[in-house]
Amino acid sequence: MEPTTLSTARLDLRPFVPADEDELYAVAQDPGIQRWTMVPSPYEREHAHRFVNETVPGGWREDTGYSFAVRLGPGGPLVAAVGVHVRPPDGYEIGYWAVKEHRGRGYMTEAVDAVARWAFTVLDVPRLEWRAEVGNAGSLAVARKAGFRMEGILRAGHLHNGTARDCWIGSLLPQDLGLPSALPYLPAPAAEPATEPATEPAAQAPAS
């Protein structure tokens, strides 16, 4: 996939480039970003250098991930990051974080919506997943505002600093945004109440 630039009413989204290294390194020192996302902790200069010079261009080139730097207009400050990560063989997961000083203004939801629409219409993604460690209320709020439907909790579904932790999971389909789907979708019928398995009658004690 060729690197792509997206835009919204307020935002400019383009792949991270080497010139973003200093700004990325600075904002990633935020303890909240290190606590709740997959960025390394502590976040060293080499992490930022490798991300903008190797990880991002490699992801676009090899179709393994598509990362966007989100700026307040062309040339504006970095306000967030959004990425679509490919989970073989056919899964796609969205991840994001917002710069502390720019939270609470709707930028994150606006960027997630733009990237989701791009994924559905350009990548032909049939389903976009969102996951976040249980307790990450900010990520949950953005996901809900962007239209994701919550599906439950995955036990040990999130790996963070060498620990397996429970995570929330949600999904967004093209139909949720009024877009056509690349594949026909046949929803399951309404779930029936669970039926208790049949049990054998208890063995009779021998008469005394």
Side-chain angles (χ1 to χ4, degrees):
M1 171 66 66
E2 287 295 320
T4 300
T5 298
L6 308 175
S7 62
T8 70
R10 300 183 294 175
L11 306 173
D12 182 72
L13 296 81
R14 59 168 176 75
F16 280 92
V17 295
D20 297 324
E21 180 180 329
D22 290 345
E23 200 170 8
L24 173 62
Y25 172 71
V27 301
Q29 300 309 308
D30 177 9
I33 291 177
Q34 294 186 24
R35 167 62 182 89
W36 294 110
T37 74
M38 301 299 287
V39 304
S41 180
Y43 196 82
E44 307 289 352
R45 169 69 68 171
E46 65 183 79
H47 295 133
H49 181 81
R50 187 181 309 120
F51 184 74
V52 299
N53 287 279
E54 300 175 18
T55 304
V56 172
W60 283 88
R61 183 176 59 251
E62 299 165 13
D63 288 311
T64 57
Y66 314 97
S67 297
F68 294 90
V70 182
R71 294 187 174 277
L72 189 56
L78 182 69
V79 299
V82 184
V84 175
H85 311 287
V86 181
R87 289 178 172 270
D90 54 6
Y92 297 84
E93 180 182 341
I94 195 166
Y96 46 83
W97 50 257
V99 176
K100 183 177 182 179
E101 293 76 13
H102 297 284
R103 293 173 190 159
R105 303 175 188 178
Y107 298 146
M108 195 75 266
T109 303
E110 189 173 325
V112 168
D113 178 76
V115 172
R117 291 176 183 276
W118 170 80
F120 290 140
T121 57
V122 176
L123 300 181
D124 288 334
V125 170
R127 166 188 163 95
L128 196 56
E129 282 191 357
W130 161 86
R131 300 185 187 196
E133 183 181 333
V134 172
N136 190 348
S139 184
L140 175 63
V142 169
R144 282 177 166 162
K145 290 177 183 176
F148 282 78
R149 296 188 184 183
M150 299 302 109
E151 296 179 336
I153 294 176
L154 296 179
R155 295 188 302 158
H158 178 76
L159 302 181
H160 186 77
N161 285 343
T163 303
R165 309 184 184 205
D166 293 346
C167 73
W168 290 314
I169 184 170
S171 69
L172 186 69
L173 304 183
Q175 299 92 319
D176 298 331
L177 300 180
L179 299 172
S181 177
L183 295 174
Y185 172 43
L186 181 62
E192 295 293 331
T195 302
E196 292 294 328
T199 57
E200 295 294 330
Q204 295 293 320
S208 56

